[in-house]
Amino acid sequence: MHSTESTLPDAVILLGRGGTGAAARETLHGLAQALQMRMAESRVLVGFIDKAAPSLPQALDLCVGARTVVVLPLLSPDEPALTRWLHKVAMRWRERQQAGGPSIRFAPALMAAELLPELAREQAMKALQQADVAETAGPQWRDDPVGWSNVPAHTHHALVCLGPRCTALGAVAVWDAVGDALKATPALQRRLRPLQTSCQYPCNHGPLAIVYPEGVWYGRLEVENVGEVLRAHVLEGRADPGHLVHRLQSE
Ligand code: FES
């Protein structure tokens, strides 16, 4: 099955970075819609390397019945180590498929596309039609919100990894569950500030979070248990042994 050749791929996954806000995701979805109109016979999906869902394995799950899937990484710059890891992710996903899974091909790096310099030149020329930043930044451009100078009253920080490997292991859903736990427990919300991070290195324990100031590393976090792990740590001073990976300091 893996050697199946076809004129068009059955599915194309546009693979991007999740970014810190909604803009990166919306941009990728917009590009997928535009590409779908140009590739009507293929199914065009999005996938995210980090910080957003669906991850690459989840996007591959959505390619049900496809014989050929093309993964098109929209990464800049192209990182060879990351690309090699993505190929391994695809191999592991396919290994789990009972029927053998589709042929999976990675498209060449976007930055190497022959048309890119010409597109860049066009965009640069269009900039000359745009207004100067004095017009676009607005009259209050010297002002920042007063709140940006206030130090919040949190006693703890949870550094939740949304790096590529944790994302592939379900970290985005875990991050959402952290937000749900804060909303459900006001005492936790007052004391704990969760922050997203990139890779913290022990990826095989992911999804992973480190809670400071104690410096306690928790791994294998899941939607069902992350709230309880954080509540126990912050409100009861107790480290859940089932998820404890490492302590930076002895208590
Ligand atoms: S991606 Fe989370 S620890 Fe590496």
Side-chain angles (χ1 to χ4, degrees):
M1 179 177 290
H2 299 164
S3 61
T4 301
E5 298 289 347
S6 59
T7 316
L8 289 171
D10 296 315
V12 177
I13 298 173
L14 297 184
L15 192 64
R17 296 273 196 188
T20 51
R25 294 157 219 175
E26 288 167 2
T27 301
L28 197 60
H29 281 287
L31 180 59
Q33 283 177 1
L35 184 61
Q36 183 68 81
M37 284 166 27
R38 289 163 175 77
M39 298 184 74
E41 291 165 45
S42 303
R43 187 165 171 215
V44 180
L45 306 96
V46 301
F48 295 94
I49 289 173
D50 52 12
K51 299 188 175 180
S55 63
L56 178 57
Q58 290 170 329
L60 287 166
D61 283 342
L62 297 172
C63 298
V64 182
R67 291 163 302 164
T68 307
V69 177
V70 165
V71 180
L72 175 52
L74 301 170
L75 309 177
S76 173
D78 181 44
E79 299 172 47
L82 183 57
T83 302
R84 280 196 300 276
W85 174 73
L86 289 169
H87 290 210
K88 285 165 58 174
V89 169
M91 285 295 292
R92 287 174 190 153
W93 175 85
R94 192 162 64 190
E95 190 179 50
R96 295 195 296 272
Q97 307 311 302
Q98 291 185 342
S103 169
I104 303 173
R105 316 289 176 97
F106 275 72
L110 187 71
M111 293 299 275
E114 290 173 13
L115 289 174
L116 200 57
E118 185 56 30
L119 283 174
R121 191 190 73 82
E122 277 182 28
Q123 293 299 92
M125 296 307 291
K126 283 179 189 167
L128 298 178
Q129 312 304 319
Q130 306 294 314
D132 182 84
V133 288
E135 292 177 50
T136 56
Q140 310 297 329
W141 62 270
R142 285 192 177 86
D143 302 339
D144 285 330
V146 175
W148 289 5
S149 300
N150 298 338
V151 178
H154 304 111
T155 59
H156 289 74
H157 289 96
L159 308 186
V160 182
C161 181
L162 271 84
R165 293 159 192 83
C166 285
T167 293
L169 291 169
V172 175
V174 168
W175 170 260
D176 291 343
V178 171
D180 292 342
L182 295 185
K183 280 186 211 139
T185 312
L188 187 65
Q189 189 160 42
R190 278 193 297 277
R191 296 185 59 180
L192 178 69
R193 171 75 168 141
L195 300 166
Q196 297 183 359
T197 76
S198 53
C199 178
Q200 303 186 33
Y201 286 104
C203 313
N204 290 344
H205 295 287
L208 186 105
I210 311 175
V211 183
Y212 283 98
E214 291 82 9
V216 179
W217 298 53
Y218 294 104
R220 307 277 182 206
L221 295 170
E222 296 171 356
V223 169
E224 295 75 22
N225 56 43
V226 67
E228 196 43 49
V229 169
L230 295 175
R231 271 189 284 269
H233 183 112
V234 175
L235 301 182
E236 301 169 24
R238 183 168 57 81
D240 185 325
H243 296 276
L244 183 62
V245 173
H246 180 64
R247 289 176 191 270
L248 285 187
Q249 315 162 7
S250 57
E251 291 179 343

